[in-house]
Amino acid sequence: MKICFIVAMQAEAQPFIDRFGVSEAPGFFLPLPCKMYQTDIDGNKLYVVLNGQQQGSDLVGCEAASVATMAAIQQLHPDLVINSGTCGAFKKNGAAIGDVYISNGVMFHDRRVPGDDAWGTQSLGNYPIFDRAAEIANAIGFKMGKVTTGSSLDMQPCDLQIIEENHGELKDMEGAAVAFVCSLFKTPIMLIKSVTDLCDESAETFEIFKKNLAMASHAIADANEKVINYLLKKS
Ligand code: ADE
């Protein structure tokens, strides 16, 4: 089996990279900025693809995630894509900082195309999720929730309205873009997210995100390891 993780930030991926001892294939995606790490696990392939950097900082967001996912699928031909990373969540839904979720749905929350027509529906996305996601979440004991994706770390009232109308629970900046590309290639995708901040608790999102990033990234490494072991039937 070939499993490819798509991760936006180096800091989010580093504990996972260290845990699995994946090694970098420098320049693999040139001229794209994406970075590729790989290792073999009992005849299976584990790839970790990062969006890469521009102007000295990690390329977070949908455009970079789309490029990384498309390059990864075309060049690595994974059987499964896993978008793992951090997210915001909602205290009112019972979320706590450091919680790990597996997503049971994924869509955009900041694409407002007026009207209730096909265009509006297409803009929101609602892409298919790996059909074993619920089985994996139940087996490992992770919560499940719907990821909604937007291009901003902050949340405007119009974002919240769409999130609430669509029962979104986890707010990120890449998930739906990764899932969009996977839908085009019919590559199964699952999303594993850990919570750095609570969108309904404080408006100081960036400060709280930075404070909790290292802890949440370790939680993600633990979660990713459990999912890999489950998929590859390792104890
Ligand atoms: N990543 C971590 N926290 C986030 C938030 N509140 N919104 C979007 N992406 C995030």
Side-chain angles (χ1 to χ4, degrees):
M1 184 177 197
K2 288 190 261 183
I3 305 174
C4 179
F5 282 78
I6 306 282
V7 187
M9 296 176 60
Q10 188 83 39
E12 287 174 316
Q14 200 59 50
F16 179 46
I17 287 171
D18 295 342
R19 178 88 49 99
F20 277 85
V22 290
S23 45
E24 191 179 352
F28 183 83
F29 288 116
L30 280 174
L32 304 179
C34 327
K35 291 170 80 173
M36 202 274 273
Y37 298 79
Q38 62 182 331
T39 193
D40 289 345
I41 308 175
D42 302 339
N44 301 283
K45 277 276 181 199
L46 172 63
Y47 300 110
V48 183
V49 173
L50 306 192
N51 290 356
Q53 293 199 333
Q54 203 172 40
Q55 299 171 16
S57 57
D58 292 318
L59 283 162
V60 296
C62 296
E63 296 82 356
S66 298
V67 167
T69 307
M70 182 157 165
I73 291 177
Q74 289 193 310
Q75 292 184 236
L76 303 171
H77 308 287
D79 301 303
L80 175 66
V81 164
I82 301 180
N83 174 225
S84 90
T86 56
C87 67
F90 294 85
K91 199 173 161 182
K92 66 178 182 196
N93 296 332
I97 287 170
D99 280 357
V100 174
Y101 285 76
I102 288 187
S103 104
N104 54 14
V106 62
M107 61 174 284
F108 290 102
H109 63 242
D110 65 353
R111 290 187 175 178
R112 293 174 297 279
V113 181
D116 189 23
D117 57 2
W119 206 350
T121 305
Q122 180 255 103
S123 299
L124 293 177
N126 279 308
Y127 303 107
I129 295 283
F130 185 35
D131 59 8
R132 293 182 62 197
E135 168 211 321
I136 295 167
N138 289 336
I140 302 177
F142 288 137
K143 298 197 223 184
M144 295 197 85
K146 183 170 189 175
V147 170
T148 76
T149 300
S151 292
S152 301
L153 188 70
D154 75 1
M155 185 175 68
Q156 297 299 316
C158 50
D159 299 325
L160 180 61
Q161 187 186 338
I162 293 181
I163 291 171
E164 286 182 336
E165 279 171 6
N166 291 278
H167 310 290
E169 291 190 55
L170 311 166
K171 175 177 175 287
D172 82 346
M173 294 179 67
E174 290 88 18
V178 176
F180 163 64
V181 176
C182 287
S183 75
L184 301 180
F185 287 93
K186 302 203 173 358
T187 302
I189 172 175
M190 58 185 285
L191 298 90
I192 307 175
K193 300 279 165 178
S194 71
V195 177
T196 48
D197 51 274
L198 296 169
C199 304
D200 51 353
E201 190 174 61
S202 163
E204 304 297 316
T205 309
F206 187 51
E207 297 311 315
I208 296 170
F209 165 73
K210 280 193 295 184
K211 182 166 154 260
N212 294 317
L213 177 59
M215 177 275 298
S217 301
H218 279 90
I220 273 287
D222 292 344
N224 289 351
E225 183 175 10
K226 287 182 182 153
V227 170
I228 290 168
N229 287 346
Y230 183 81
L231 286 168
L232 302 183
K233 300 189 172 30
K234 290 165 70 77
S235 55

